[in-house]
Amino acid sequence: MESFLKLPMTNITYTTVIIILISTTILGMLLSLALAFIRRKEGYDRSFVVTLMLLPLIIAIIIMLVSDNVARAFSLAGVFTLVRFRTTVSDTKDITFVFSTVAIGLSTGMGYIGYAMIITAFIILVLLIIHILKLEDIKDNH
């Protein structure tokens, strides 16, 4: 069971990379489908759905590339601090989806495929429960 949850990342092979890329893409697609399902009545930005599919994949690739070198990791952190996103978030719930993709990409990039599956399923389940119970529609009367 433990080998299912963690891929060996000391000697990354082509097979390991392919498994990570495929599993990350599938998990990103599942999260995107959850967004499309939850927002089907009110509509959603199709480019945001595509972004949710690709963001975990990009993060996983970056983590695989810098995982063995601390200097590269710090350099990458410095680059990310210089990048500014000028787009405004139309719905604050979208931030939840973005952070979810980061969690998926980090876990798969580190080789924790099984954990990424559990995390993705749990996040989607929580989002669906919130949607079904219409908790996002409750307004504060203050």
Side-chain angles (χ1 to χ4, degrees):
M1 179 73 173
E2 190 65 31
S3 64
F4 168 72
L5 296 176
K6 173 78 169 97
L7 290 174
M9 297 303 286
T10 50
N11 285 335
I12 299 177
T13 64
Y14 291 116
T15 305
T16 303
V17 171
I18 290 170
I19 290 170
I20 288 172
L21 295 178
I22 290 171
S23 61
T24 305
T25 303
I26 291 170
L27 295 175
M29 285 181 178
L30 290 174
L31 189 65
S32 296
L33 289 172
L35 170 75
F37 175 78
I38 289 170
R39 301 271 175 84
R40 71 188 181 282
K41 290 182 182 174
E42 63 198 54
Y44 53 89
D45 184 3
R46 295 187 193 285
S47 65
F48 186 63
V49 171
V50 173
T51 299
L52 287 181
M53 273 192 253
L54 296 176
L55 193 57
L57 184 61
I58 294 165
I59 291 169
I61 291 168
I62 291 169
I63 294 301
M64 283 188 293
L65 293 175
V66 301
S67 64
D68 65 337
N69 190 319
V70 175
R72 271 191 263 160
F74 280 119
S75 300
L76 186 64
V79 169
F80 278 133
T81 59
L82 296 175
V83 176
R84 293 181 183 194
F85 295 98
R86 297 262 179 209
T87 57
T88 58
V89 177
S90 59
D91 189 352
T92 54
K93 287 179 284 196
D94 290 347
I95 296 171
T96 304
F97 285 96
V98 171
F99 282 141
S100 300
T101 62
V102 171
I104 293 167
L106 285 173
S107 56
T108 56
M110 293 171 62
Y112 294 105
I113 305 296
Y115 293 134
M117 291 174 170
I118 294 167
I119 290 167
T120 304
F122 191 78
I123 289 170
I124 290 172
L125 178 67
V126 170
L127 290 169
L128 288 174
I129 289 171
I130 290 169
H131 175 71
I132 290 168
L133 296 177
K134 299 185 186 311
L135 295 177
E136 70 268 11
D137 295 338
I138 297 173
K139 302 283 188 221
D140 190 15
N141 292 330
H142 296 131

